[in-house]
Every structure is written in C-alpha cells, then in structure tokens.
Amino acid sequence: MENNLSGIAKVRANILNHLNTYQHSETIYNASKYSIEAGGKGLRPLLLFTVLEALGESPDKGISAASAIEMIHTYSLIHDDLPAMDNDDLRRGKPTNHIVFGEGTAILAGDNLLNESFNVIAKDKELTAEVRIRLVETISTASGQSGMISGQMLDIEAEKRATTLEELETIHAYKTGALIKAPVTAACIIADAAQEVTRRLENFSEVIGVLFQIKDDILDMEGNPELTGKNTGSDVKKGKVTYVSELGLDGAKGALADKVDEAYRILDSLNELISTAGLRKIVQKFAERDQ
Amino acid sequence: MENNLSGIAKVRANILNHLNTYQHSETIYNASKYSIEAGGKGLRPLLLFTVLEALGESPDKGISAASAIEMIHTYSLIHDDLPAMDNDDLRRGKPTNHIVFGEGTAILAGDNLLNESFNVIAKDKELTAEVRIRLVETISTASGQSGMISGQMLDIEAEKRATTLEELETIHAYKTGALIKAPVTAACIIADAAQEVTRRLENFSEVIGVLFQIKDDILDMEGNPELTGKNTGSDVKKGKVTYVSELGLDGAKGALADKVDEAYRILDSLNELISTAGLRKIVQKFAERDQ
C-alpha cells in the first residue's frame, strides 16, 4: 500500500471481490455492493492501517480486518436507515438501501454484510488461526451487545426522553466509540504489539472516538450541507441531545480542543516506542474534517 | 451430557448465560432472550451432538458451535417474521419478536444474535484457535450469501412468479439445507474426522436436509395445527410451490420414503468406520416428527 488514501480503495476492492466470488443471489450481491460503493470516509480502515504503520507492520496485513470493520459499519447504516429505525431516505446524498431495493432486501443485505465480515477474516489465510480468531472476538465484541448494537438501542430509547451529557457519552462510547477502538485493537493484534503500547493506543482511540463525535455535533450545526450530506441543524430539529445542545457551540469547540490536546499527549507518551507521525495526522483529520 | 434430550437445554442455558454476561442494554437482552426461550425443536444442536457421539467425541465440546448455529437459526426467524419479510404475528403459537418488542428492536435483536454467535465460538477457549476459526468459516459460509441468506432472498423472489421443482430444491438447499449441513461439518471439524468420513456425513446431511423439507411440506397439508403451530395448508394458501403442490401428497410421501432409504444407505456405508445408531434415530425423528 503506497499511502493511506489508497487504503480504503483496496478495502472496497477486497470487499467487492469477496461479495462477488461467493454470491448465490444477484439481488443480495447488488444490494450489498450498492451500500459498499456508496462509500463512507473510510476512517476506520485508515485508522487500522495507520496504527499498523506506526507499529512497523505492513498495512496489507490488515486488509481483511479493515474490510470486516467497514462491512459492519456499512450494515449498521443500512439497518439504521430503515423505516422502523431512523427512517432516512437519503445518506450521503444518495437514496438509502431500502429506498432502492425495498425493505426486505435491505434487511437481508445488512445481515449479509455482518455475516460475511467474519467470513472475510476467517478466509484470510495470510494470518495465523490465533490472530484471526482474536480478530473475530475483538470485532464482534465491538459490534455486538457489548458495543455498537447496545449503543443503537440506547440511542433509540434516549430519543423518547430527556438525556444527560453523561448518558450521551455512554451511548456514544458504545454506538460509535467501540467501532473506532476496534481497528486500533485489531492492528495491535496483527502487529503483536506490546501490552503497554496496546493499552495506550486503545486509550488514544477512546479519546479520538469522543473527539469524532463532538466534531460530528459541531458539523451538524455549522457544516456545509453539500459536504456533510445532511441538512444543517437536523439533530437539533429531531430534539436529539448533542454536545452542542448541552455545551453550546463555543463550549463544544472548547471540548473538541481539549480532546485534541489529550490525544496528542497520549501520542507524546508513545514517541519513544512507536512512530506517531501518521497518528498525529489522524487527530488533525478527525478534528478538522468538513464532512 | 447424559443424553441428546438434555443437549438443547444445555445449549439454551449456554446462550442465555452468554447474552446475560455481556449485555449493555436490557432491551436487547430481553428481546434476544425472548426468541431463544420461545425455543425451536433444537434439531441442529441434536444433529451436531449426535455426529460428535458417532465420532467418539464428547458432545460437550460442541456446545459453543451448537449455540452459534441455534442463535443464527433464531435470528433468521426473527428477521423472516418482520412485516417487510413474511409478516407473521405468531410463531410456535407465541407472538413474534416484533409484535412484543416493536420492529426496530426486533431488527437489532436479530442482528445481535447473529453477531454474538461468532463471539460465542471465539470465546470458547476449550477449542484450539484452528478449530474455532474453521468453525467460524464453516458456519458463516452456511448462514451468509453462500447459503441461508441467498436462500431467503431467492425464496422471496420465487413467491412472485411460477417456480419449478428444480428451483425449489435449489432454494431449500440454501435456505434450510446449508444450516442442517453446518452442524454436521462443525462436528467433523471438532472431532477431527477423517476426510472420507466427513464427505459421507456431509452427503448424509444433504439427504436429511431434503427429507426435512419434504416432511415440512407434508405437515403443512396434514399436520395437527396445535402441534405444528400453524394453520393447515397455509403454504398452499400463500401460493407457495412445495413438494406437495408439485408431487401431490402421495408423491411427496413417496419422495420422503426414498430419502429415508438413501440416508440409511449412506449410514450403512459408514457402519465399519463410526457408530451410526444415533444417526439412524435422527433419520427416524426427521421423517416421523409431528411438529
């Protein structure tokens, strides 16, 4: 892999190749492919590859794990957009999966991406059995009831009543934080990182997970709809508790700056152990993104 | 495990213990638990344990694999019952998951059972990493786009138009056959069975998969609604192509008898290699069941 920009392209190609190779239903293939190609920012794969590089390991070793995490992220968006959940017709300016393929197919396509994510890892014979099963355990712990799925449920339930900032932090830690931490832990497993390095990198991932969410809430208030793909203030209109609704716009920006400092401090503490330049760029990217 | 009857009870206890231990959302836990407790016949775990015994291996070694397969079977029923899919209010005489918990929660509870199925296997440290990752690969291949999910999609698409018996066989091979074969392959992996024994047992599982489906179609026509949990002739009323609609009731019974003979012939060929008594009982159980 020449640079990180090409990383997400490699991941998408790997996912589409897997989906195409083992398909027995054209509809399932097309619906799964549609949402993979609709393409997110690829932040999770980027994080995984950057940690591998920081640890002196070849990013190519992380393609199956990055594919699995991107597939899980994509499935969660397909199911989140369903009428019974958030009922969104558009995502990133494109019609959502169920609008194009119908609800039944969208449910199955989401199931498919979740299911195949573990198949992709299991089939990666470049990794030892021990590494592969640890990846399955780590990723499924992050995406299931110990992480993302509980976060989605808590988020739905929180919309029905007043929520505190503390509850908001818990929800985000599960709903988005767990799947931002997973690529970091996955990279540490693949590179066989020392326990203390893993601990600090996981701590770093928790900080940038919160940073990511604060930035998301700020973008909701003052982002460019053409870039963010959603209307300004849409969270506030839905009555959602956000960092901005709790802290105000300036307060949220202050909290963002604090998290940036905290992330850099952790990287400082790792300077003598690993190469942190790429991770510093990630902090910047997370904090300054406009979409 | 004293006998096979207690096998499914152990599997359910193992699943509920896992769901309870790692939960962060009471709603997700309750909804997942509801459908696990609503309880199927446990035929897939029974098959897995019986093959382990036939191979001289302790059935206890198969509890995580049997749990995973039962969780996947259960998730597929939750999603199948959704309004966007089959739209069923009742299953086995009880309200379906989305009727009790709402559609959004039912979607997430299904996702959860699928996700956690692989987590259960990954966490079973009694098995080697090599065995665990082969189980993840085998089971996810059976339940994903190479198997069950494609079968569900083909089944939905087949309802909209005329279907031949050949297409019906293809759909069933994916939709139900793959997850009847998976416990047999899983048991062979756990017991490290010889290649030729595995091949014949997988062949056996394909035959009883078809046998199972023919019996299902016969029960739809002449089963006792109190035992089957659905109205007599409900498939025919939905205009579904079944073995009975294609072959007539007597023809279907003849086809069932043929499959029983075929299954016994395969077991005869295995007589000198493994202990087939338990598997003979399974053939009988599959062919003579009244629910």
Side-chain angles (χ1 to χ4, degrees):
Chain A
M1 206 169 300
E2 281 162 45
N3 56 49
N4 286 320
L5 269 180
S6 72
I8 181 65
K10 275 202 181 184
V11 164
R12 271 198 200 111
N14 184 55
I15 295 171
L16 293 178
N17 179 52
H18 175 92
L19 293 175
N20 189 32
T21 305
Y22 303 101
Q23 60 139 317
H24 289 295
S25 153
E26 219 170 316
T27 310
I28 286 296
Y29 172 64
N30 288 333
S32 305
K33 181 169 171 264
Y34 175 81
S35 289
I36 292 296
E37 285 184 336
K41 298 175 281 287
L43 293 177
R44 290 158 195 81
L46 172 65
L47 197 49
L48 195 150
F49 295 136
T50 307
V51 174
L52 281 176
E53 281 174 338
L55 295 167
E57 184 61 86
S58 162
D60 279 340
K61 275 199 146 181
I63 287 183
S64 62
S67 298
I69 292 169
E70 192 66 12
M71 289 162 90
I72 290 172
H73 174 58
T74 306
Y75 115 76
S76 76
L77 301 181
I78 296 175
H79 282 189
D80 257 349
D81 288 335
L82 287 166
M85 309 271 285
D86 282 355
N87 194 21
D88 279 318
D89 291 354
L90 287 174
R91 176 169 292 274
R92 300 176 195 130
K94 290 179 191 163
T96 45
N97 200 292
H98 66 274
I99 294 294
V100 180
F101 297 95
E103 272 184 67
T105 302
I107 293 168
L108 287 174
D111 294 345
N112 188 48
L113 288 171
L114 172 57
N115 186 95
E116 294 303 311
S117 69
F118 300 111
N119 198 264
V120 163
I121 293 175
K123 282 197 163 72
D124 182 0
K125 305 292 156 71
E126 299 288 312
L127 304 173
T128 65
E130 179 68 31
V131 165
R132 280 178 284 152
I133 199 66
R134 285 180 66 199
L135 290 174
V136 169
E137 181 172 2
T138 295
I139 295 171
S140 63
T141 297
S143 57
Q145 61 171 30
S146 308
M148 187 180 73
I149 288 177
S150 285
Q152 289 172 291
M153 193 70 239
L154 293 170
D155 192 33
I156 291 171
E157 290 172 327
E159 282 176 23
K160 294 174 192 155
R161 55 177 181 73
T163 310
T164 64
L165 186 63
E166 204 189 331
E167 279 181 284
L168 181 74
E169 284 174 343
T170 303
I171 293 170
H172 286 320
Y174 293 134
K175 190 180 177 187
T176 56
L179 217 60
I180 287 176
K181 188 175 176 179
V184 172
T185 308
C188 290
I189 290 170
I190 293 167
D192 197 19
Q195 215 171 355
E196 179 58 22
V197 171
T198 299
R199 198 190 60 75
R200 290 191 207 173
L201 283 172
E202 286 182 333
N203 185 206
F204 167 79
S205 73
E206 285 162 6
V207 172
I208 62 168
V210 178
L211 185 163
F212 178 86
Q213 189 58 50
I214 299 175
K215 181 68 185 183
D216 227 43
D217 291 349
I218 293 172
L219 279 174
D220 181 66
M221 283 311 289
E222 56 173 28
N224 178 347
E226 281 181 28
L227 292 173
T228 61
K230 59 180 190 173
N231 294 327
T232 307
S234 68
D235 286 346
V236 174
K237 273 178 206 144
K238 285 180 188 164
K240 280 193 181 180
V241 172
T242 73
Y243 282 97
V244 174
S245 75
E246 292 302 290
L247 306 173
L249 194 51
D250 285 345
K253 285 179 182 179
L256 180 69
D258 288 348
K259 287 293 162 188
V260 169
D261 288 346
E262 196 179 342
Y264 283 141
R265 274 202 306 277
I266 298 170
L267 293 180
D268 288 342
S269 84
L270 280 159
N271 260 345
E272 286 174 18
L273 301 167
I274 63 170
S275 155
T276 60
L279 292 169
R280 285 177 197 277
K281 280 190 202 155
I282 291 220
V283 176
Q284 217 178 341
K285 195 178 171 85
F286 271 41
E288 295 173 9
R289 67 197 170 93
D290 52 15
Q291 55 178 309
Chain B
M1 205 169 301
E2 282 163 43
N3 57 48
N4 285 319
L5 268 182
S6 72
I8 182 63
K10 276 203 180 183
V11 165
R12 271 199 200 111
N14 185 53
I15 296 171
L16 294 178
N17 180 51
H18 175 91
L19 293 175
N20 189 32
T21 306
Y22 303 101
Q23 61 139 316
H24 288 295
S25 153
E26 218 170 317
T27 310
I28 287 295
Y29 172 64
N30 287 333
S32 306
K33 182 168 171 264
Y34 175 81
S35 288
I36 291 296
E37 285 183 336
K41 297 175 282 286
L43 293 177
R44 291 158 195 81
L46 172 66
L47 196 49
L48 195 151
F49 295 135
T50 307
V51 174
L52 280 177
E53 280 175 339
L55 294 167
E57 184 61 87
S58 160
D60 280 339
K61 276 198 146 184
I63 286 183
S64 62
S67 298
I69 292 169
E70 191 66 11
M71 289 163 91
I72 289 172
H73 174 58
T74 305
Y75 115 76
S76 77
L77 301 181
I78 295 176
H79 282 189
D80 257 348
D81 288 336
L82 286 166
M85 309 272 285
D86 283 354
N87 195 20
D88 279 319
D89 292 355
L90 286 175
R91 176 169 292 275
R92 298 177 195 130
K94 290 179 191 164
T96 46
N97 200 293
H98 66 274
I99 294 294
V100 180
F101 296 95
E103 270 185 68
T105 301
I107 292 169
L108 287 174
D111 294 345
N112 189 47
L113 288 171
L114 171 58
N115 186 95
E116 295 303 310
S117 69
F118 300 111
N119 198 263
V120 163
I121 292 175
K123 281 197 164 72
D124 182 0
K125 305 294 156 67
E126 299 288 313
L127 304 173
T128 65
E130 179 68 30
V131 165
R132 279 178 283 153
I133 199 65
R134 286 179 67 197
L135 290 174
V136 169
E137 182 172 1
T138 295
I139 294 171
S140 63
T141 297
S143 56
Q145 60 172 30
S146 307
M148 187 180 72
I149 288 177
S150 285
Q152 288 172 291
M153 193 70 240
L154 294 170
D155 191 34
I156 290 171
E157 291 172 328
E159 281 177 24
K160 295 175 191 155
R161 54 176 182 73
T163 310
T164 64
L165 187 62
E166 204 187 332
E167 280 181 283
L168 181 76
E169 284 174 343
T170 303
I171 294 170
H172 286 320
Y174 292 135
K175 191 179 177 188
T176 54
L179 218 60
I180 287 175
K181 187 175 176 178
V184 172
T185 308
C188 290
I189 291 170
I190 293 167
D192 197 18
Q195 217 171 352
E196 180 58 22
V197 170
T198 300
R199 199 190 60 75
R200 290 191 206 173
L201 282 171
E202 286 182 332
N203 185 207
F204 168 79
S205 72
E206 285 161 7
V207 172
I208 62 168
V210 178
L211 184 162
F212 178 85
Q213 190 57 50
I214 300 174
K215 181 68 185 185
D216 228 43
D217 291 349
I218 292 172
L219 279 174
D220 181 66
M221 283 311 289
E222 55 173 30
N224 178 347
E226 281 181 30
L227 292 174
T228 62
K230 59 180 190 174
N231 294 327
T232 307
S234 68
D235 287 344
V236 173
K237 272 178 206 145
K238 286 180 187 165
K240 280 193 181 180
V241 172
T242 72
Y243 282 97
V244 174
S245 75
E246 293 301 292
L247 305 174
L249 194 52
D250 285 345
K253 286 180 182 176
L256 180 70
D258 288 348
K259 288 292 162 190
V260 169
D261 288 346
E262 198 179 340
Y264 283 141
R265 274 201 306 277
I266 299 171
L267 292 181
D268 288 343
S269 85
L270 280 161
N271 260 346
E272 286 175 18
L273 302 166
I274 63 172
S275 154
T276 60
L279 293 168
R280 285 177 196 277
K281 280 190 202 155
I282 290 221
V283 176
Q284 214 178 344
K285 195 179 170 85
F286 272 42
E288 294 173 10
R289 68 198 170 92
D290 53 15
Q291 55 178 308

